[in-house]
Amino acid sequence: MSEHEHNHEHEHEEHDHCECHGHEHGHHHHHEEGCSCGHEHGHSHEHGEEKELTVKQLIFAAVMFVLGLVIEHLPVENWLPDVAKIDLIHEAVCMVLYFVAFMITGKDIVIGAVSNLIHGELMDESFLMSVAAIGAILLGEYEEAVAFMILYQVGEKFEDYAVDKSRDSIEEIAKLRPDHATVKVGTETREVDPEEVETDSVIIVKPGDRIPIDGIVVDGDSFVDTSALTGESIPQHVRVGSEVLSGSINKQGVLEIRTTRHAGDSALSRILNLVENATENKTKSEQFVTRFARVYTPIVVYSALALAIIPSVVIGFTTGNWAWQETWSTWVYRALMFLVVSCPCALVISIPLSFCGGITAAARQGILIKGSVYLEALGRTKTAVFDKTGTLTKGNFVVTHIHATDEAITETELLALATHTEMFSTHPISASLKAAHHDKCCDNVKLENVEEIAGKGIKALVNGKEVLAGNTKLMEQFGIAYNECSEHQDGTVIHVASEGKYSGHIVISDEIKDDSAQTVEGLHKIGVENVVMLTGDNERAAHTVAAKLGLKKAFGQLLSADKLAKVEELLADLQKGGKKRGTLIFAGDGINDAPVLARADAGIAMGSMGSDAAIEAADIIIMEDKPSKIVDGIKISRRTLRIVYENLYGALGIKGTILLLSALGISNMWIAVFGDVGVTILAVLNSLRLLKKSK
């Protein structure tokens, strides 16, 4: 597995951290992609000494602004006609109120813009806001300048809230990590930090406590709540020998657990690492937004300059009227509106936030997605390929049918005969027989002359009788006339003969998981066109299982290389017509299927709570051993993509319309403010829907 360095053929680039967790909270934060119009977000977070505006300050500024607005429109001159210079006093009071509100909300933005200019950063958001606000003041539109700054700061608060919500969702997982472990040393116990607990130590977990470290139960019987890790609400019964994971809650009896990992390598720690550092490649949507922001903002700034200057100059030359009020002010005002709308804040914040929200929402369901590019691939699934053993089936073989054909022997005796013959074998079939047959007589069996015939079965003397137990080739070798099992073709058939006479056969099958059929049906319902099963089992067993699951395509007798070739064929089918129609996902055990996991657009490892190999090989890890979780993951991914495109097309559509209206003089500064701040708030709130907990 070490050779598999995740060099997927997904056309991926360098990994980046999940943007929404790259923020430093508050107005000292620095958005990695940022709401930045191509640079840093907002207010010169690196260069300026800007302090975060408190909610109380913002409310006070809003009160001052509303008070100024109300007083400005009151007929004070009519009420106090005898007061000298009442009109100047009236205007001065309004100006003071507006000035106070502007200084509270806009001072740091302007200082930040100046600081950025000194450091050579021209096209950032604080520059655009400052130019627009100061321009409005120079045009005498004082209330619009103040309103713009207040609403801009409201938008900032919403962005901070969104980042906090995203971080809080991760911190909820972090809180699952206990801050102490009770270690048993001889007959005494002591509480220590989980990081100090060595592997192979015995820890005690009382009812109601969280399990601090992965391990095996060595004493006790209880139920544990694994919902925080797997999304499964039904508590799991654990007893001596059961594996338990850190972060689970012990619900009932006291458990003694022998640790199998260090705390830093436990399941919960790995979940946190995967979600916090979703080492992701950017999706095409994110790449588009990043490129778009860097090109779009300078174009709009120069367009605004052109809009202010060119029409004014043309009108001046054609009419001879160069008056500021009649010619220039109109076009400068339109240019300022153009600037206000120009920042692509709604896109650069909300789209990375949406992807991070989707990754977090999936993690809550026990679906760990290593990055937004895999989330997008999952959402576009058109072909779903499954390995059979351990993915659609349980991977533990059990005796399912016993057919005694010799009237002198019962089914129980036939099972006992086969079990005694295989008593000392290490083959999985032997384990299945032993699991099905427990009896005191087994201790008294006299087993002699045991001969294991490679690829065929076993010959032995059982209590003095010659017994054969194996496949059809063994029967043919010894000239035994046997019966094929026509009823049950979904498993391995063990034929048994005693004293040269055929006694019957036993069918050993891998059990189908409870939700496998539901998974296949669910995938078809959500529009996955092609659901395929690949297996190393024989074709007959493959098609029998496929029929039970409602699968139309199943391929058997495949080695790892054959599975890879089959996946290549299925990928080629998606490429027919020149353009790729959706993506291919592959779900397997994460160890034997590493090449196929790597080749798929998204490789999914099933039931991998404790598998390092699976976490290394796969792009998506399903914590619980339920294939139906894949359907849930696709639904979450599609919801995420839907919100991303709602934000993308919605923001571009609204901004484009307002830019056009601004240029034509149909809009005003209030509508322009909505085009920036309003659209940002709507996009951020839309993205936050992903972080809402499903009830």
Side-chain angles (χ1 to χ4, degrees):
M1 189 55 59
S2 59
E3 293 178 2
H4 179 61
E5 291 295 333
H6 223 50
N7 293 333
H8 293 31
E9 296 180 40
H10 304 327
E11 299 178 9
H12 299 164
E13 299 172 2
E14 290 292 317
H15 290 292
D16 286 319
H17 288 295
C18 191
E19 287 90 337
C20 66
H21 307 303
H23 303 297
E24 297 289 332
H25 176 56
H27 286 262
H28 290 296
H29 62 247
H30 174 215
H31 300 245
E32 281 192 5
E33 285 305 328
C35 174
S36 60
C37 311
H39 297 281
E40 283 77 28
H41 169 57
H43 327 299
S44 176
H45 300 325
E46 287 188 343
H47 308 307
E49 294 300 319
E50 173 198 348
K51 295 177 182 178
E52 181 179 357
L53 192 70
T54 66
V55 175
K56 285 182 180 178
Q57 287 175 313
L58 187 54
I59 291 172
F60 181 74
V63 170
M64 292 293 101
F65 168 69
V66 171
L67 200 58
L69 210 58
V70 170
I71 291 173
E72 183 181 358
H73 291 88
L74 288 175
V76 177
E77 288 84 353
N78 296 336
W79 294 349
L80 303 167
D82 299 329
V83 178
K85 297 184 179 179
I86 187 62
D87 54 339
L88 291 176
I89 295 171
H90 184 199
E91 186 178 346
V93 170
C94 296
M95 288 289 288
V96 168
L97 292 170
Y98 288 148
F99 178 76
V100 170
F102 186 85
M103 288 301 289
I104 291 171
T105 56
K107 180 189 66 165
D108 288 334
I109 296 174
V110 175
I111 291 172
V114 173
S115 176
N116 282 359
L117 279 174
I118 293 169
H119 289 87
E121 294 175 7
L122 180 65
M123 298 299 176
D124 77 332
E125 190 181 9
S126 59
F127 172 78
L128 298 180
M129 304 304 105
S130 300
V131 170
I134 292 169
I137 290 170
L138 293 175
L139 290 173
E141 305 289 348
Y142 308 119
E143 70 275 11
E144 289 187 359
V146 178
F148 175 55
M149 283 301 184
I150 289 173
L151 289 172
Y152 171 72
Q153 292 285 13
V154 169
E156 284 288 290
K157 288 296 175 191
F158 271 95
E159 289 173 22
D160 289 342
Y161 171 74
V163 171
D164 287 345
K165 282 285 286 183
S166 182
R167 185 184 291 106
D168 288 346
S169 297
I170 301 301
E171 286 176 354
E172 280 180 27
I173 301 175
K175 286 175 185 174
L176 302 177
R177 183 157 39 192
D179 56 8
H180 70 275
T182 304
V183 180
K184 184 179 180 182
V185 182
T187 57
E188 297 180 356
T189 61
R190 57 189 177 93
E191 285 196 0
V192 297
D193 188 299
E195 294 291 335
E196 297 175 16
V197 179
E198 298 290 332
T199 303
D200 215 32
S201 300
V202 175
I203 58 173
I204 294 175
V205 182
K206 297 174 183 176
D209 288 350
R210 288 194 185 274
I211 296 169
I213 307 167
D214 295 358
I216 303 290
V217 177
V218 292
D219 188 34
D221 190 292
S222 183
F223 286 86
V224 294
D225 178 359
T226 62
S227 58
L229 301 174
T230 65
E232 174 57 64
S233 58
I234 301 171
Q236 305 293 307
H237 183 213
V238 296
R239 57 177 72 86
V240 174
S242 299
E243 181 183 6
V244 289
L245 300 173
S246 59
S248 304
I249 301 173
N250 180 18
K251 304 291 282 185
Q252 203 169 320
V254 175
L255 292 175
E256 289 191 14
I257 299 165
R258 186 172 298 281
T259 61
T260 55
R261 297 176 185 275
H262 187 264
D265 297 324
S266 288
L268 186 58
S269 296
R270 286 183 291 176
I271 291 173
L272 277 166
N273 290 336
L274 281 172
V275 179
E276 284 182 330
N277 307 308
T279 50
E280 61 181 319
N281 293 301
K282 287 185 176 64
T283 63
K284 290 179 181 177
S285 312
E286 291 173 292
Q287 290 170 358
F288 164 74
V289 168
T290 303
R291 291 195 301 267
F292 176 80
R294 287 172 183 164
V295 174
Y296 162 85
T297 306
I299 288 174
V300 171
V301 171
Y302 295 128
S303 299
L305 278 173
L307 186 62
I309 296 168
I310 294 172
S312 300
V313 170
V314 170
I315 292 170
F317 274 118
T318 54
T319 65
N321 185 356
W322 295 90
W324 167 263
Q325 197 63 37
E326 295 174 20
T327 305
W328 286 88
S329 66
T330 300
W331 291 101
V332 169
Y333 184 74
R334 293 181 185 182
L336 290 176
M337 288 190 290
F338 211 75
L339 275 181
V340 169
V341 185
S342 69
C343 182
C345 198
L347 302 179
V348 185
I349 279 290
S350 67
I351 288 178
L353 184 69
S354 298
F355 280 114
C356 289
I359 290 169
T360 305
R364 284 178 177 160
Q365 297 295 317
I367 304 161
L368 305 184
I369 302 174
K370 287 188 176 179
S372 60
V373 71
Y374 309 122
L375 183 139
E376 186 172 45
L378 189 62
R380 299 189 187 285
T381 302
K382 285 296 178 188
T383 298
V385 184
F386 290 87
D387 181 43
K388 180 179 82 71
T389 306
T391 306
L392 294 173
T393 62
K394 293 181 179 178
N396 47 344
F397 294 86
V398 295
V399 173
T400 51
H401 305 284
I402 303 170
H403 296 155
T405 56
D406 186 346
E407 293 179 359
I409 192 170
T410 65
E411 289 185 354
T412 304
E413 289 171 334
L414 179 66
L415 178 60
L417 204 58
T419 304
H420 296 160
T421 307
E422 300 258 3
M423 191 177 291
F424 298 123
S425 172
T426 56
H427 195 280
I429 286 175
S430 171
S432 304
L433 290 169
K434 290 172 198 171
H437 177 72
H438 309 280
D439 201 284
K440 291 180 181 178
C441 69
C442 296
D443 298 330
N444 301 318
V445 170
K446 187 179 180 183
L447 194 63
E448 301 172 287
N449 301 339
V450 179
E451 181 185 353
E452 190 156 345
I453 302 167
K456 297 179 182 180
I458 292 177
K459 172 189 172 188
L461 286 177
V462 181
N463 293 332
K465 293 181 180 180
E466 185 179 82
V467 180
L468 301 172
N471 57 24
T472 55
K473 292 178 181 177
L474 184 69
M475 297 295 112
E476 289 167 0
Q477 179 177 331
F478 289 89
I480 308 291
Y482 60 90
N483 298 335
E484 287 281 7
C485 185
S486 56
E487 291 180 57
H488 309 105
Q489 300 187 2
D490 59 342
T492 301
V493 179
I494 307 299
H495 295 277
V496 182
S498 177
E499 294 291 294
K501 185 180 179 183
Y502 188 66
S503 302
H505 52 262
I506 298 166
V507 182
I508 295 176
S509 305
D510 188 1
E511 293 178 281
I512 293 173
K513 287 180 183 174
D514 298 336
D515 64 337
S516 290
Q518 171 195 335
T519 303
V520 174
E521 183 184 358
L523 288 169
H524 286 308
K525 277 185 179 176
I526 61 175
V528 177
E529 297 170 359
N530 213 3
V531 185
V532 183
M533 185 182 77
L534 307 180
T535 179
D537 287 356
N538 62 65
E539 289 278 0
R540 187 181 69 179
H543 288 293
T544 303
V545 171
K548 288 182 179 179
L549 296 177
L551 283 165
K552 294 179 181 176
K553 290 186 179 178
F555 303 93
Q557 292 182 312
L558 301 176
L559 299 174
S560 187
D562 301 324
K563 289 179 184 178
L564 185 59
K566 189 59 68 177
V567 165
E568 292 284 4
E569 284 178 31
L570 294 167
L571 282 166
D573 288 342
L574 288 173
Q575 288 280 13
K576 282 181 179 175
K579 188 177 180 182
K580 191 172 182 181
R581 300 176 299 102
T583 57
L584 180 146
I585 61 172
F586 177 84
D589 61 13
I591 302 167
N592 300 327
D593 298 312
V596 193
L597 284 165
R599 183 62 188 96
D601 294 309
I604 303 172
M606 289 291 308
S608 304
M609 292 185 285
S611 170
D612 291 324
I615 287 175
E616 178 66 29
D619 307 313
I620 299 166
I621 296 114
I622 307 291
M623 295 292 289
E624 196 172 11
D625 207 8
K626 285 187 173 180
S628 57
K629 287 282 187 180
I630 294 173
V631 180
D632 296 337
I634 292 173
K635 288 178 179 176
I636 291 170
S637 300
R638 288 183 178 176
R639 186 170 178 236
T640 303
L641 292 177
R642 187 167 64 247
I643 286 174
V644 164
Y645 287 114
E646 285 170 1
N647 288 342
L648 185 63
Y649 296 129
L652 287 178
I654 293 171
K655 282 179 176 288
T657 303
I658 296 175
L659 282 171
L660 183 61
L661 293 176
S662 299
L664 296 174
I666 300 170
S667 177
N668 60 35
M669 189 65 78
W670 293 95
I671 295 174
V673 168
F674 171 76
D676 177 38
V677 179
V679 170
T680 299
I681 291 171
L682 289 175
V684 166
L685 289 176
N686 194 32
S687 299
L688 284 176
R689 290 193 295 137
L690 286 162
L691 294 174
K692 285 178 69 177
K693 288 187 178 179
S694 54
K695 294 182 181 178

